[in-house]
């Protein structure tokens, strides 16, 4: 049996001793989270989306009982979406996991740790370091991500680990890295208010980022709002121009716009000459995208294309481009994101107020995972393959350089293929629910069955993925632990502990710490005692990087400042602005400091509609009250009232009448992989030939097709071929 040393770590308030691990009832029960007034308030950051709203948490006897939007926080300025108001409710759900479980049966932490280490070690001893992998998340704190990445890769000796952020923003990462030399979303939310033209491509902020949309509504410049989305979404309805293009024809559209800008002499040639590379080749390349051809592929008219191009041409003071999953989740996602970046560069719309090629990210700490998860990048935005980077990070964290792998991880889909082929035998899944959210669900769940050892770490043991685990580890959730998140505009904020986790659940941080001890790595991780101690380690890893945050002293400084955007170098620690954007000096992070024009010809999606499956299935967010696989939001009665009581399929009147489908009829939607029966809703919001389903229903990804962008390896969730027929009882 493993014994635990008594570390100095204090998270709740009691020390972590073997005794307390065995009997967590004693573990801080009834004690007030540190540094809080028992009947006061605590300022925190919402743990759902990447907007990163500030919340005020109201305490009674040391425990948060209510959440309201923080009026002083620069992000949300006193507003919150329904999920923020209901942030505390999911913590009280009846199915919160309270003990570790082995093969579905409750066990204690000491046994769980013993099993974890024995099984992982024996798999790796027998099959090598590549035989065990982890899948992490954009929904735990940066300090937890950093701990997990360092523990798994530098401590336990794993090589492969990725996260649900691959499903979400891997495309933006790849696109920025190639185009700008670093994964650097350049904007600040003030740009929503300061733009004359806002172009939203494959983004539905009214539903997915409602508080960002509030910032758009605060724009006093009477902006043009242009939405490119095959569906007439809530955002499209609020737009001044909506281009309902054929799904996945964005790349052609964007090249067509570049063609028109060049033809019409509407390019910012000074900016292009001084600050970019590859323009001449790009200009020649887009000559093959004249408007007539682009119109026939995208389904728009030549006049529409011209209006669009005229709206973003040089002379328009401030144009900002925003994209989300309609772009990132495509078979050619990276090149599409770069085609957006190319337009911003051509028109000189970067580095200035109200401009930018801006990827909006999704999960509360997707941006933290980009810098600190140690999956694709070595901690701090470094490169595993670069020996100087390995030396630097090793020194910053005080580990021997030999402990740092010299190769990056396989991507998520490649890890899964490794499981399928038997190369990977043990998988550890943390704070994500891929048995619902990954593409082609049957294939995913079948391959999980091949594993010798599946560990799932979640706040609920009822999730589709948790139910398949050999070993389940119960996690404390947002509100029950402390740490930092980074939001879409690169702002770091502190999320506070205001509740005690139920039963024996421990914060992810503490679970990683237990594993470090149990594995025999206590000495190596001696400095990793608390989230705030790890924050200091992560800070050191960013020194001299574009994301340098060495100027942020500590959590207190973050709280006092209303969050702080990266970068903040030490030299600027006392002199910085609340809203900052990148590239105001037009110096990019490439070796020649020029942004690159990158392009490839468009290709067709991997599964096109045909006679058997004539419709395209688009998937995405349903309502602002529903979060992903709904493990959390479905626990709130308030949020449930704000969402449809039953999932429905949106289908165009023409396609419906062809199948004699009336509104409210039960229909079967079928793809090559599965079928699902549900209610039809006839709506002109989808175009003919297309249907829409929200991703929140667990059956939706039974239908989707396993295909990824070749550069970012992000799944193409929003395009597969289906048929819909009336369900005859
Ligand atoms: N309420 C709520 N908010 C959320 C989330 C949630 O689950 N619920 N999730 C968060 C996360 S992690 C993310 S990543 C974001 C996602 O935020 P969004 O990306 O804004 O949301 P989606 O609905 O997935 O996709 C956006 C739009 O892409 C469109 N689209 C589909 N195919 C194409 C195409 O080929 N071209 C174009 N131009 N558009 C296309 C869809 O019709 C959809 O309206 O939301 C975040 N916010
Ligand atoms: N068809 C389709 N599928 C999609 C998408 C789409 O547009 N269409 N979008 C994709 C995108 S962008 C994303 S981001 C993914 C999201 O997919 P997932 O990451 O699988 O979805 P979530 O429901 O957010 O899962 C988070 C899990 O973490 C648990 N959890 C929450 N907080 C904590 C914590 O602090 N610690 C621990 N250990 N666990 C915690 C929750 O209970 C939940 O089980 O879905 C993807 N799937
Ligand atoms: S917009 Fe996002 S961060 Fe803000 S309250 Fe809603 S879910 Fe939370
Ligand atoms: Mo996402």
């Amino acid at each position: 049996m493993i014994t635990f040393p008594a570390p100095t770590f204090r998270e709740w308030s009691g020390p972590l001793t073997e005794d307390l691990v065995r009997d967590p009832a004693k573990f801080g029960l009834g004690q007030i989270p540190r540094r809080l007034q028992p009947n006061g308030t605590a300022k925190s950051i919402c743990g759902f989306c990447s907007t990163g709203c500030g919340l005020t948490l109201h305490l009674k006897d040391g425990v948060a009982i209510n959440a309201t939007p923080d009026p002083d926080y620069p992000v949300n300025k006193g507003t919150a979406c329904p999920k923020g108001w209901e942030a505390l409710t999911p913590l009280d759900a009846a199915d919160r996991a309270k003990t570790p479980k082995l093969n579905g049966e409750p066990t204690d932490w000491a046994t769980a740790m013993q099993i974890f280490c024995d099984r992982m070690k024996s798999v790796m001893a027998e099959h090598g370091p590549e035989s065990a992998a982890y899948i992490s998340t954009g929904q735990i704190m940066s300090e937890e991500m950093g701990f997990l990445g360092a523990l798994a890769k530098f401590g336990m000796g794993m090589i492969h680990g990725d996260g649900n952020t691959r499903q979400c923003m891997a495309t933006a990462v790849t696109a920025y890295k190639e185009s700008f030399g670093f994964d650097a979303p350049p904007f600040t939310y003030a740009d929503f208010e300061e733009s004359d033209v806002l172009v939203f491509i494959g983004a539905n902020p009214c539903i997915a980022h409602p508080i960002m949309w509030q910032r758009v509504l605060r724009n006093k410049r009477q902006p043009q709002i242009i939405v490119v989305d095959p569906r007439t979404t809530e955002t499209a309805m609020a737009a001044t121009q909506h281009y309902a293009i054929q799904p996945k024809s964005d790349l052609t559209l964007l090249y067509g716009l570049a063609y028109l800008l060049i033809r019409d002499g509407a390019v910012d040639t000074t900016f292009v000459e001084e600050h970019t590379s590859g323009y001449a080749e790009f200009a020649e390349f887009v000559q093959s995208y004249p408007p007539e051809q682009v119109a026939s592929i995208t389904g728009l008219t030549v006049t529409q294309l011209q209006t669009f191009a005229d709206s973003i041409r040089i002379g328009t003071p401030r144009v900002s481009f925003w994209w989300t999953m309609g772009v990132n989740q495509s078979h050619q996602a990276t090149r599409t994101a770069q085609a957006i970046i190319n337009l911003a560069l051509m028109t000189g719309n970067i580095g200035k107020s109200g401009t930018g090629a801006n990827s909006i990210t999704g999960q509360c700490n997707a941006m933290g995972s980009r810098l600190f998860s140690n999956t694709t990048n070595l901690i701090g935005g470094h490169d595993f393959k670069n020996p100087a980077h390995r030396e630097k990070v090793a020194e910053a964290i005080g580990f021997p350089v030999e402990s740092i792998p010299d190769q990056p991880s396989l991507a998520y889909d490649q890890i899964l293929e490794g499981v399928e082929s038997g190369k990977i035998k043990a998988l550890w899944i943390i704070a994500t629910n891929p048995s619902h959210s990954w593409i082609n669900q049957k294939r995913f769940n079948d391959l999980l069955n091949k594993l010798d050892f599946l560990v799932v770490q979640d706040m609920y043991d009822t999730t589709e993925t948790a139910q398949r685990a050999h070993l389940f580890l119960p996690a404390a959730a947002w509100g029950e632990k402390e740490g930092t998140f980074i939001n879409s505009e690169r702002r770091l904020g502190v999320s506070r502990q205001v509740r005690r986790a139920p039963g024996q659940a421990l914060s992810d941080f503490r679970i990683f710490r237990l594993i470090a001890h149990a594995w025999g790595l206590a000495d190596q991780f001696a400095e990793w005692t608390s989230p705030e101690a790890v924050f200091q380690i992560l800070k050191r890893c960013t020194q001299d990087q574009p994301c340098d945050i060495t100027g942020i002293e500590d959590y207190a400084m973050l709280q006092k400042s209303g969050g702080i955007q990266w970068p903040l170098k030490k030299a600027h620690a006392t002199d910085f602005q609340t809203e900052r954007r990148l590239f105001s000096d037009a110096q990019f992070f490439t070796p020649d400091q020029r942004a690159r024009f990158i392009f490839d010809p468009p290709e067709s999606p991997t599964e096109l509609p045909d006679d058997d499956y004539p419709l395209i299935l688009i998937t995405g967010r349903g309502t602002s009250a529903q979060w992903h696989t709904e493990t959390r939001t479905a626990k709130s009665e308030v949020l449930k009232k704000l969402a449809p009581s039953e999932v429905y399929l949106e289908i165009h009147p023409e396609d419906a009448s062809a199948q004699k489908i009336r509104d409210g009829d039960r229909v079967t939607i079928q793809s090559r992989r599965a079928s699902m029966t549900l209610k039809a809703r006839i709506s002109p919001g989808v175009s003919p030939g297309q249907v829409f389903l929200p991703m929140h229903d667990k059956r939706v990804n039974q239908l989707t097709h396993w295909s990824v962008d070749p550069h970012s390896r992000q799944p193409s969730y929003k395009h597969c071929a289906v048929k819909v027929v009336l369900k005859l009882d």
Side-chain angles (χ1 to χ4, degrees), residues 139-140 164 167-168 325 329 363 430-434 437 457-460 463 475-478 481 508 619-621 627-632 695 700-701 704 717-718:
Q139 295 180 63
I140 57 177
N164 61 3
Q167 295 161 286
C168 186
M325 292 310 123
Q329 297 170 343
Q363 306 169 67
I430 303 106
T432 180
N433 185 15
S437 63
Q457 184 168 319
D458 203 288
M459 58 189 282
Y460 306 106
T463 74
W478 172 90
K481 56 183 178 177
D508 295 288
T619 64
R621 273 73 199 156
W627 181 257
H628 296 155
T629 72
E630 287 231 86
T631 65
R632 286 193 276 169
M695 65 163 296
V700 169
N701 278 319
T704 51
Y717 281 109
K718 293 186 171 4

Side-chain angles (χ1 to χ4, degrees), residues 49 83 168 201-205 207-209 228-231 233 245 247-248 250 324-326 362-363 618 620-621 623-628 696 718:
C49 91
K83 296 185 295 303
C168 186
I201 306 177
N204 188 10
I207 293 296
H209 297 99
V228 180
D229 194 312
R231 300 190 303 131
T233 60
I245 58 168
K248 303 300 153 223
D250 303 67
T324 319
M325 292 310 123
Q363 306 169 67
I618 299 177
R621 273 73 199 156
T623 67
S624 60
Q626 291 168 291
W627 181 257
H628 296 155
H696 313 296
K718 293 186 171 4

